[in-house]
Amino acid sequence: MDKLNQYREIVKRLIKEYAHDDYRRNGVDRELVFDLENDHYQIINVGWENDHRIYGCILHFDIKQGKIWLQYNGTEIDFAEELVKQGVPKQNIVIGFHSPFMRKFTEYAVS
């Protein structure tokens, strides 16, 4: 399996594993959004809680130029470390929610 397909499978597996955690909320669905053509992967919550609209991204990965970008992480799980555990080298992980300036102080790729 080439690197791109391997990364796609890793990201999808991590998202599916997280999405199957004990999520229970009446009237709110947890949706997995996989844009396989453009390599965007998200978990979003959609619905209504009483009269309050719920819509929000929980987790967002992109794969760009051979690297996995963690664009948003609304969980308490360190998904960059989870990617490393799955065999992704740190130089192929970009913490996209950190500014480009701050990325150079991490162990991960700058871009």
Side-chain angles (χ1 to χ4, degrees), residues 40-95:
H40 305 295
Y41 307 87
Q42 297 181 341
I43 299 174
I44 58 173
N45 288 339
V46 178
W48 288 89
E49 196 166 66
N50 300 320
D51 293 333
H52 182 71
R53 175 73 172 156
I54 305 293
Y55 183 88
C57 179
I58 306 302
L59 191 59
H60 178 169
F61 293 96
D62 289 334
I63 300 175
K64 301 191 289 188
Q65 300 174 338
K67 296 180 181 175
I68 299 174
W69 286 66
L70 182 53
Q71 301 285 20
Y72 182 76
N73 184 1
T75 77
E76 295 183 5
I77 297 171
D78 183 347
F79 275 99
E81 189 57 37
E82 294 300 314
L83 290 168
V84 171
K85 289 178 186 174
Q86 298 292 319
V88 179
K90 288 183 178 180
Q91 67 267 21
N92 288 347
I93 300 168
V94 179
I95 311 299

